[in-house]
């Protein structure tokens, strides 16, 4: 997904004008429209903690796209012969675990697809459900109004028009649906709800869960009396292993029946046909039973208000108006669509997983090293409330991160996890335990004194770990990082990796910011912070006679001098360009050398294997080294493609990284 392009645009492009930007015109200019379902990406409505993925009908009639939330997690049954104590014994600090225990910890908890909602085509003469395909629908037209967060879908079936509007609540996990058609009065149309089995057995994209194993889970229907103050007409409890999720349904009068005792599919039929409005709300079992839901009209008004406020009160970039550049249209499209997608998928109570709420890569877990890419842009776009909500993750993860640092050779401070569940428990695996670059993230500067004071304990714990992790090398008189350590690209041997260039620069940057942070609120700075910052090993540079590496920055100290021509080192994240771009110039950095190193990366790296945020990082480097045209070239690179709704198009690199899942989570003995 296009999570970070928008931040880069601030650095790479600007529009100089005293005129007000016509935001409504620019946003709605790029309203996505479809006349057929995409087989890989849904059209979405949502609020950051909840997302509803739709096919061309505005629901999930033909394709089982997800209904995913930030809170919808479950644990699978324990492996045979294991008890809860075996799981509890893992403290998130090692990877030498029995394979069954380790595999369970990697896949659990996993995110659950809460259900599926779709249109039901019926035989009015008692023939039951008809086998209708998308190809049987005519004049299909679907539009997402970005300005208000509403999907309107139209089609004709057997001569009758069907109109479906879909909006998301902005305060809860609910979707509001309005269906209009004469097919209701003819007994030809209804609505179905279906509930899948979800587990951690596999990555699931673009769909989540299985509908072919009903025996593994249960659903229970409860009808409600709406004669009192409540308006909820039905509830369905869905139990998977030890977790239960509740679906509450309100709206126009309807009947609801279970299709069969062996299935988890339910049919809803309106009692007063022609127009059918329904609100479907999802909650975990821990919440009290809901008796009243907002109306469709109130949820629609809420969506209008929240989205319009988002567009009007956030930052905005116009690269299109009065531009004569033929690429301005596509750049503006990406800016607008990415702004929509990040609010739906990344504006929740915690960091989003790498695929947001679109599907379930990495079992739905999020990666703390991605925190910067997924969330820092909200600061640039003047969305501090969104950013501060997710920031609370650091406070909730602090106790386990302090413990993790102690367990790992008695380090001080907080070692933040990499791949983690909502509790902060680090997932087992070598990479998950040895990756470093998530550590300095929270040390980026804040301007407000009150914010600095609030987050001072987190900054102190972060810098305490960074200072204690650096190892004083008596033979060289400097502080080293590693071994063992995994670099950004996760493709070097950790026991041979010492003083990686990007991590060294980020360490200096983080410790410097942490010192400034505490100084600004008159708190004492531990002397070790400055000692380590000023005496960190220099960035590794190729020596005279090292061929193509001579005079250039190296991935890490001691790497083969011909690494530029070794495929295993030039096929993943090109972190060397992050020395300038991601980071401002740090102490000891030679800008000329950094520029020449970036030039070598551009020439030597296998860009066809770059993915996600690699192109924006290349663009950031180009922008900060005064190469704006090159920055735009990277942002609009032919391999950096986005589909009609603004989602990242699949590439071989994406598939390659999915196939590396077992490498990320590999269990090693000893």
């Amino acid at each position: 997904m296009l999570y970070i392009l928008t931040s880069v645009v601030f650095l790479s492009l600007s529009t100089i004008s005293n005129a007000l930007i016509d935001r409504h015109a620019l946003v709605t200019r790029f309203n996505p429209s479809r006349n057929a379902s995409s087989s890989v990406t849904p059209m979405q409505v949502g609020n950051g903690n909840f997302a509803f993925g739709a096919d061309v009908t505005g629901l999930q009639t033909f394709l089982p796209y997800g209904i995913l939330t930030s809170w919808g997690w479950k644990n699978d049954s324990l492996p045979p012969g294991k008890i809860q104590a075996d799981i509890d014994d893992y403290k998130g600090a090692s990877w030498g675990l029995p394979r069954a225990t380790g595999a369970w910890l990697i896949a659990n908890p996993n995110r659950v697809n809460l259900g599926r909602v779709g249109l039901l085509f019926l035989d009015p003469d008692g023939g039951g459900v008809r086998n209708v395909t998308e190809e049987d629908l005519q004049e299909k037209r679907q539009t997402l109004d970005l300005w208000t967060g509403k999907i309107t879908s139209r089609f004709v079936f057997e001569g009758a028009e069907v109109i479906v509007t879909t909006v998301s609540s902005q305060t809860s996990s609910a979707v509001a649906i309005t269906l209009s058609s004469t097919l209701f009065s003819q007994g030809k149309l209804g609505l179905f709800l279906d509930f899948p089995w979800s587990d951690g057995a596999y990555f699931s994209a673009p769909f989540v869960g299985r509908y072919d194993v009903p025996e593994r889970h249960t659903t229970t229907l409860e009808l409600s009396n709406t004669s009192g103050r409540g308006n909820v007409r039905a509830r369905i409890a869905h139990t998977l292993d030890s977790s239960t999720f509740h679906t509450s349904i309100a709206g126009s009068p309807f009947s609801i029946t279970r299709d069969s005792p062996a299935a988890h599919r339910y049919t809803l039929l309106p009692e007063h046909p022609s127009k059918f409005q329904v609100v479907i709300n999802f909650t975990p079992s821990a919440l009290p039973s809901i008796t009243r839901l907002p109306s469709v009209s109130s949820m629609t008004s809420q969506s209008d208000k929240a989205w319009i406020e988002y567009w009007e009160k956030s930052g905005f970039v116009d690269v299109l108006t009065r531009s004569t550049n033929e690429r301005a249209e596509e750049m503006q499209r990406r800016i607008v669509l990415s702004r929509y997608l990040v609010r739906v998928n990344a504006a929740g109570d915690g960091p989003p997983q790498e695929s947001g709420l679109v599907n379930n890569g990495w079992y739905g877990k999020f990666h703390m090293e991605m925190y910067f890419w997924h969330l820092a842009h909200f600061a640039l776009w003047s969305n501090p409330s969104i950013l501060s909500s997710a920031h609370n993750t650091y406070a909730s993860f602090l106790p386990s991160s302090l413990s993790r640092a102690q367990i790992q050779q008695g380090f001080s401070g907080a070692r933040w996890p990499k791949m983690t569940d909502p509790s902060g428990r680090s997932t087992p695996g070598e990479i998950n335990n040895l990756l470093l670059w998530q550590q300095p993230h929270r040390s980026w500067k804040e301007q407000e004194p009150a914010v600095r004071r609030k987050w001072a304990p987190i900054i102190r714990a972060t810098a305490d770990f960074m200072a204690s992790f650096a190892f004083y090398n008596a033979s060289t008189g400097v502080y080293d990082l590693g071994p063992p350590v995994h670099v950004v690209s996760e493709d070097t041997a950790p026991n041979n990796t010492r003083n990686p260039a990007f991590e060294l620069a980020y360490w200096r940057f983080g410790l410097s910011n942490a010192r400034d942070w505490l100084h600004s609120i008159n708190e004492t700075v531990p002397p070790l912070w400055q000692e380590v910052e000023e005496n960190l090993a220099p960035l590794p540079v190729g020596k005279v006679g090292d061929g193509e590496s001579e005079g250039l920055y190296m991935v890490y100290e001691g790497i083969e001098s011909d690494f530029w021509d070794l495929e295993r080192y030039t096929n993943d994240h090109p972190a060397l360009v992050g020395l300038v771009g991601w980071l401002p110039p740090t102490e000891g950095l030679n800008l000329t050398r950094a520029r020449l190193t970036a030039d070598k990366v551009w020439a030597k790296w296998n860009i066809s294997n770059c993915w996600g945020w690699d192109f924006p990082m290349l663009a950031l480097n180009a922008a900060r080294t005064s190469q704006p045209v090159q920055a735009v070239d990277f942002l609009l690179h032919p391999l950096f493609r986005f589909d009609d709704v603004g989602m990242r198009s699949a590439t071989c690199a994406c598939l390659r990284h999915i196939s590396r899942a077992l490498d990320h989570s590999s269990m090693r003995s000893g």
Side-chain angles (χ1 to χ4, degrees):
M1 290 196 55
L2 208 177
Y3 276 121
I4 41 71
L5 172 63
T6 50
S7 301
V8 181
V9 172
F10 268 122
L11 297 175
S12 61
L13 293 174
S14 64
T15 298
I16 302 174
S17 173
N18 293 322
L20 291 176
I21 297 173
D22 188 343
R23 299 183 180 208
H24 179 266
L26 281 172
V27 170
T28 56
R29 179 188 185 104
F30 299 102
N31 284 345
S33 62
R34 285 177 168 172
N35 55 22
S37 300
S38 165
S39 62
V40 291
T41 61
M43 200 172 274
Q44 287 183 298
V45 293
N47 58 36
N49 285 311
F50 170 79
F52 183 95
D55 65 19
V56 76
T57 66
L59 302 174
Q60 296 139 345
T61 305
F62 301 112
L63 293 173
Y65 282 117
I67 303 175
L68 299 174
T69 67
S70 59
W71 51 262
W73 298 83
K74 69 171 282 287
N75 281 319
D76 300 338
S77 299
L78 295 177
K82 300 298 180 181
I83 60 175
Q84 188 61 41
D86 297 317
I87 304 301
D88 295 340
D89 283 345
Y90 177 65
K91 305 303 181 184
S94 65
W95 59 91
L97 294 171
R99 186 167 186 84
T101 302
W104 190 94
L105 284 163
I106 291 163
N108 287 275
N110 45 78
R111 202 183 301 265
V112 171
N113 180 4
L114 296 175
R116 178 182 179 187
V117 183
L119 293 172
L120 197 63
F121 297 91
L122 303 168
D123 184 342
D125 297 322
V129 178
R130 300 174 63 180
N131 183 22
V132 174
T133 68
E134 186 172 322
E135 288 68 32
D136 295 321
L137 310 184
Q138 290 83 46
E139 300 178 32
K140 298 183 287 290
R141 291 171 292 154
Q142 181 180 50
T143 302
L144 168 59
D145 181 11
L146 300 169
W147 192 252
T148 60
K150 178 171 69 176
I151 298 174
T152 301
S153 307
R154 300 170 182 265
F155 61 86
V156 173
F157 179 67
E158 296 188 343
E161 185 179 46
V162 179
I163 303 174
V164 183
T165 61
T166 314
V167 299
S168 169
S169 168
Q170 297 303 300
T171 57
S172 64
S173 300
V175 62
I177 303 164
T178 299
L179 305 114
S180 301
S181 179
T182 57
L183 292 176
F184 284 115
S185 60
Q186 298 172 33
K188 293 183 177 181
L189 196 62
L191 200 65
F192 74 81
L193 273 71
D194 205 354
F195 298 88
W197 165 258
S198 297
D199 63 27
Y202 57 94
F203 289 98
S204 46
F207 310 119
V208 181
R210 296 177 58 184
Y211 293 87
D212 61 343
V213 285
E215 69 280 1
R216 296 189 185 180
H217 53 127
T218 63
T219 54
T220 305
L221 172 64
E222 174 192 352
L223 298 179
S224 303
N225 183 353
T226 59
S227 59
R229 299 180 61 183
N231 67 348
V232 170
R233 296 177 175 275
R235 297 186 190 87
I236 299 172
H238 183 203
T239 300
L240 307 93
D241 290 319
S242 60
S243 300
T244 299
F245 306 92
H246 294 283
T247 303
S248 301
I249 311 164
S252 307
F254 62 85
S255 65
I256 180 170
T257 56
R258 186 170 186 161
D259 287 9
S260 80
H264 303 297
R265 180 166 161 140
Y266 295 81
T267 294
L268 279 71
L269 299 177
E271 294 181 3
H272 306 297
S274 75
K275 186 175 182 179
F276 185 21
Q277 291 190 319
V278 62
V279 174
I280 304 173
N281 183 82
F282 302 90
T283 53
S285 58
L287 292 182
S289 179
I290 290 177
T291 59
R292 174 163 288 278
L293 293 172
S295 66
V296 169
S297 60
S298 65
M299 279 182 54
T300 301
S301 297
Q302 181 195 66
S303 180
D304 291 351
K305 180 181 178 181
W307 277 104
I308 292 171
E309 181 176 296
Y310 177 71
W311 292 115
E312 289 186 339
K313 295 187 178 181
S314 298
F316 205 93
V317 172
D318 177 5
V319 301
L320 181 58
T321 304
R322 290 182 294 279
S323 174
T324 58
N325 191 303
E326 62 181 10
R327 299 190 295 177
E329 178 91 10
E330 176 60 13
M331 180 66 80
Q332 189 70 52
R333 185 184 81 92
R334 295 187 183 197
I335 294 170
V336 169
L337 292 180
S338 69
R339 288 289 288 149
Y340 182 83
L341 288 175
V342 293
R343 188 176 181 278
V344 169
N345 290 279
D349 295 334
Q353 64 161 329
E354 294 196 22
S355 55
L357 296 173
V358 179
N359 53 56
N360 253 8
W362 307 114
Y363 313 101
K365 295 184 178 181
F366 48 84
H367 291 193
M368 289 295 284
E369 79 274 20
M370 295 304 298
Y371 185 94
F372 176 92
W373 285 118
H374 288 166
L375 294 168
H377 59 85
F378 283 121
L380 296 177
W381 290 103
S382 299
N383 297 126
S385 61
I386 294 176
L387 189 60
S388 63
S389 180
H391 267 8
N392 292 325
T393 298
Y394 279 97
S396 65
F397 284 8
L398 181 59
S400 61
S401 297
L402 291 168
S403 175
R404 184 179 302 109
Q406 279 291 311
I407 293 171
Q408 292 186 344
Q409 301 178 8
F411 296 122
S412 299
R415 181 160 196 164
W416 304 109
K418 180 196 182 300
M419 179 175 167
T420 179
D421 63 34
S423 74
R425 181 178 65 194
S426 179
T427 300
E430 181 182 280
I431 293 174
N432 292 324
N433 281 278
L434 297 182
L435 200 70
L436 277 188
W437 65 290
Q438 72 272 27
Q439 301 304 328
H441 282 353
R442 191 57 191 89
S443 61
W444 283 78
K445 292 182 178 180
E446 297 276 3
Q447 301 301 320
E448 295 294 330
V451 175
R452 285 176 170 253
R453 284 190 290 272
K454 175 182 177 180
W455 290 103
I458 302 298
I459 298 303
R460 186 178 289 276
T462 297
D464 280 345
F465 170 77
M466 293 171 63
S468 69
F469 180 83
F471 171 75
Y472 182 70
N473 188 331
S475 63
T476 59
V478 298
Y479 286 90
D480 290 339
L481 296 184
V485 62
H486 262 295
V487 298
V488 171
S489 55
E490 303 172 7
D491 58 3
T492 68
N495 289 330
N496 295 330
T497 303
R498 182 191 309 275
N499 294 327
F502 177 79
E503 285 76 2
L504 277 173
Y506 205 10
W507 233 246
R508 283 193 180 89
F509 176 83
L511 287 171
S512 175
N513 278 353
R515 286 197 299 113
D516 291 347
W517 193 301
L518 292 197
H519 279 312
S520 72
I521 55 175
N522 298 316
E523 288 196 12
T524 303
V525 176
L528 183 60
W529 294 9
Q530 185 167 351
E531 165 72 14
V532 172
E533 178 196 340
E534 293 178 351
N535 294 283
L536 272 173
L539 301 183
V541 177
K543 299 179 178 60
V544 174
D546 277 349
E548 290 189 85
S549 293
E550 182 178 323
L552 301 181
Y553 287 118
M554 312 280 273
V555 174
Y556 67 86
E557 181 183 307
I559 193 173
E560 297 97 312
S561 60
D562 61 347
F563 79 91
W564 296 104
D565 295 311
L566 299 177
E567 184 178 352
R568 65 180 181 273
Y569 293 127
T570 58
N571 261 315
D572 215 306
H573 305 304
L576 284 171
V577 301
L579 293 171
V580 180
W582 170 299
L583 297 174
T586 52
E587 186 69 28
L589 182 87
N590 183 297
L591 281 173
T592 300
R593 179 173 288 131
R595 168 73 180 272
L596 293 172
T597 302
D599 289 345
K600 181 68 74 171
V601 169
W602 299 352
K604 287 288 190 175
W605 230 259
N606 185 358
I607 301 298
S608 67
N609 267 345
C610 285
W611 63 304
W613 45 270
D614 291 338
F615 287 100
M617 185 166 66
L618 288 161
L620 280 166
N621 174 272
R624 211 187 272 270
T625 55
S626 302
Q627 301 176 85
V629 174
Q630 182 69 60
V632 176
D633 287 345
F634 281 127
L635 292 178
L636 297 175
H637 195 284
L639 294 175
F640 194 43
R641 297 189 300 271
F642 296 87
D643 71 6
D644 57 326
V645 295
M647 294 190 192
R648 181 78 166 93
S649 300
T651 65
C652 59
C654 296
L655 299 175
R656 176 175 58 86
H657 280 273
I658 290 175
S659 72
R660 282 181 52 197
L662 293 179
D663 293 335
H664 266 271
S665 54
S666 61
M667 294 295 99
R668 300 193 178 191
S669 60

